[in-house]
Amino acid sequence: MCRRVWRQRLGGAAAGDGIDDDTRAPRRWRLLMAARRLIALALLALQVNAWHSSAASLWLVGLCAALVGLALASFAWPPPGPTAPPRVSRPLSLLWLLTAWSDLAVIAALQWVGAGGLSYVPLFVWPVLMAAVTGPRLLALGLAAAATLVLLAHSWRILGSLDSSEGLQAAIAGTGLLATAWLASQLTARLDRAQAAALRSRQLAQLHSRINDVIAAGLSEGVVVLDADGHPWYANPA
């Protein structure tokens, strides 16, 4: 009976200490989706302004409006994480098609047509970074490779050759995207492992503390623990 009580008390303590679930992935996902909404709204405002000045087509405004709708709807989607279904880890799953790949497609379309006479090359970092931080590494590398092909094809369409400064800039940008995908995914994985190890160490320390409390509470002798200033820090029932 005594052993069973101890097991229940320690089991309840371990379960209570483990309530601190890993919320890093959902919090990270919410922050990225908030940033995605701001980027989509900024692109929509930019295209509306360009359309009013006859510098952009109406279909680009509709494309950016669709992106805003996807960005707003993404807040209701379950975030990818350790408890996500296995299909989410696939680079072409529905979740990534509606987030990272959609963002890349819109940015590629704006870059391809030269909407507003602007360069959208820096924005190619966004879907790659989002995939590297929240998705599988293969997805981030695939997005970086696709963005590189878009930039190279755009340079070829404009100049008819890649042997130019535009082609060199596209190659450098693509190399930077691939490096960003690889490094960001590596750092995210290392950070997650370090935080998981810290969480396990804290749970073990809490469990050991609970074991000591249970042992001290069962003693018939009185036990009082004082801090450096002489104030009581712990006292068992005896």
Side-chain angles (χ1 to χ4, degrees):
M1 177 65 71
C2 182
R3 186 177 302 173
R4 185 184 306 164
V5 172
W6 275 45
R7 189 180 296 114
Q8 290 176 353
R9 294 176 68 177
L10 292 178
D17 296 336
I19 290 177
D20 188 10
D21 293 331
D22 190 358
T23 59
R24 296 186 303 274
R27 183 167 60 249
R28 191 183 302 160
W29 177 259
R30 288 194 298 268
L31 290 174
L32 287 173
M33 291 303 102
R36 186 188 186 211
R37 180 175 59 179
L38 292 177
I39 292 174
L41 289 173
L43 288 177
L44 177 60
L46 184 64
Q47 295 309 310
V48 169
N49 181 65
W51 176 66
H52 277 295
S53 59
S54 301
S57 303
L58 184 60
W59 70 271
L60 291 175
V61 177
L63 187 64
C64 292
L67 182 63
V68 171
L70 287 176
L72 294 176
S74 61
F75 280 93
W77 300 340
T83 59
R87 62 178 180 273
V88 174
S89 61
R90 301 172 184 170
L92 294 179
S93 64
L94 181 61
L95 177 64
W96 301 121
L97 287 175
L98 295 177
T99 52
W101 288 108
S102 297
D103 293 359
L104 180 64
V106 172
I107 296 170
L110 295 176
Q111 176 68 18
W112 188 265
V113 300
L118 301 176
S119 175
Y120 297 86
V121 174
L123 285 180
F124 282 98
V125 179
W126 160 248
V128 173
L129 185 61
M130 177 175 60
V133 172
T134 60
R137 186 174 302 163
L138 183 60
L139 171 65
L141 293 175
L143 286 164
T148 302
L149 292 177
V150 170
L151 293 175
L152 292 174
H154 181 256
S155 299
W156 180 275
R157 185 178 69 91
I158 293 177
L159 302 175
S161 173
L162 296 179
D163 189 14
S164 61
S165 60
E166 290 290 336
L168 181 60
Q169 290 178 1
I172 293 175
T175 304
L177 291 174
L178 290 171
T180 299
W182 179 262
L183 291 177
S185 61
Q186 288 279 3
L187 292 176
T188 301
R190 180 171 297 183
L191 178 61
D192 287 343
R193 288 195 297 268
Q195 291 180 340
L199 180 61
R200 287 194 298 269
S201 299
R202 186 177 63 182
Q203 289 175 343
L204 286 176
Q206 291 173 344
L207 181 59
H208 291 165
S209 177
R210 183 58 181 169
I211 290 174
N212 294 332
D213 292 343
V214 172
I215 294 174
L219 295 176
S220 58
E221 296 83 2
V223 177
V224 178
V225 181
L226 306 178
D227 60 12
D229 297 328
H231 299 110
W233 181 72
Y234 173 79
N236 66 342

